Amino acid sequence: MMQETRPNPYSVGAPQVAAYAADSERLTFIRRTYAHMTGAIVALIAVEAVLFQVVPAATMDMLVTRMLSGFGWLIVLGAFMVVSWVARAWATNGGSLAVQYAGLGLYVVAQAVILLPMLYICIRVLGEPSLPIMAAIITAMCFIGLTAFTFITGADFSGWGKYLALGGLVALGMIVASIFFSFSLGLWFSGLMVLLACGYILYDTSNIIHQYSTSQYVAASLALFASVVLLFYYVLQIMMSMSRE
């Protein structure tokens, strides 16, 4: 899985940027952002739980096999990127809160679909239901540490956007190449993607402090949610590889 290129969040005038807002407005914006991100994570878990309970095992086997069969995964990734672009466009819609929530909800569903094959293999095929929990704990610890570091230091990582985007494009190219030429990217690639996800968390958190306006809490929460899920995905991949060995 990979996180698509994202632009820097826009600013609509200094008085509206959270960094220049009154303390009460800035704190409200931050609370809303992290509350929405938490809600998105809970919704993601709920969607995955429903899929595992409702979809029959035989149907799940067929879906997962088709999704992971070479070009099937390429189609899934392409569809994910298109849906993600639409979801982000809706989430940054400043005129309609309902459209913003629709964008966040659409993105949660898209992430649930992209995570499904790996979770199914981990839980049903490998018989390791504890691995996602352990990966979630590691992800949470990394997220809390990176978030605390950014808020305590007040560092501005907004300039990292173009470098992270370049890293994402290179990673996407390698994923496509691995599908076309049938080779495994290995643990080293997952490790690099963990670093990329950590970079995005620093970048997104910095934008919450320095770039987003106080009305953009839905868009900010979607960006953070995307980075957290990206980190979780590759942490779990590493753990699954180690478990197989």
Side-chain angles (χ1 to χ4, degrees):
M1 187 181 87
M2 109 124 242
Q3 190 175 37
E4 72 281 1
T5 304
R6 72 181 82 180
N8 282 342
Y10 58 83
S11 298
V12 291
Q16 295 179 333
V17 175
Y20 300 102
D23 289 345
S24 59
E25 293 181 7
R26 183 168 62 253
L27 289 175
T28 297
F29 162 71
I30 292 172
R31 290 193 190 101
R32 285 176 173 174
T33 297
Y34 285 92
H36 281 72
M37 184 204 70
T38 303
I41 293 173
V42 172
L44 175 65
I45 296 171
V47 172
E48 298 290 9
V50 169
L51 289 175
F52 270 83
Q53 292 296 324
V54 172
V55 181
T59 303
M60 189 77 82
D61 285 333
M62 180 189 67
L63 290 174
V64 170
T65 300
R66 288 184 178 180
M67 287 176 69
L68 296 180
S69 60
F71 291 101
W73 186 238
L74 190 60
I75 293 172
V76 170
L77 285 177
F80 172 75
M81 293 183 70
V82 172
V83 172
S84 297
W85 180 84
V86 172
R88 289 178 182 277
W90 288 357
T92 54
N93 185 323
S96 172
L97 189 58
V99 173
Q100 293 177 40
Y101 281 120
L104 181 58
L106 178 62
Y107 194 79
V108 168
V109 173
Q111 287 284 13
V113 172
I114 209 79
L115 278 172
L116 181 62
M118 186 170 63
L119 289 174
Y120 181 79
I121 292 171
C122 182
I123 296 172
R124 295 280 175 84
V125 178
L126 296 180
E128 296 281 2
S130 63
L131 287 185
I133 298 174
M134 294 171 62
I137 292 172
I138 293 172
T139 300
M141 292 174 63
C142 290
F143 175 75
I144 292 171
L146 293 169
T147 301
F149 172 80
T150 309
F151 271 96
I152 291 172
T153 63
D156 188 352
F157 299 107
S158 58
W160 286 18
K162 54 188 176 183
Y163 304 111
L164 293 170
L166 178 61
L169 288 173
V170 171
L172 178 60
M174 296 184 68
I175 292 172
V176 172
S178 71
I179 293 173
F180 272 100
F181 299 106
S182 301
F183 64 87
S184 175
L185 291 171
L187 274 175
W188 66 270
F189 179 79
S190 295
L192 290 176
M193 291 302 293
V194 166
L195 292 178
L196 181 67
C198 288
Y200 263 118
I201 291 173
L202 289 172
Y203 170 69
D204 294 330
T205 307
S206 172
N207 285 336
I208 289 172
I209 299 172
H210 301 286
Q211 299 293 324
Y212 282 107
S213 71
T214 53
S215 64
Q216 289 183 285
Y217 50 88
V218 177
S221 65
L222 189 152
L224 273 179
F225 171 71
S227 300
V228 169
V229 175
L230 180 67
L231 178 59
F232 169 79
Y233 185 95
Y234 282 101
V235 168
L236 183 55
Q237 271 208 348
I238 292 172
M239 297 182 69
M240 287 173 63
S241 297
M242 296 174 65
S243 175
R244 291 191 187 101
E245 296 176 0

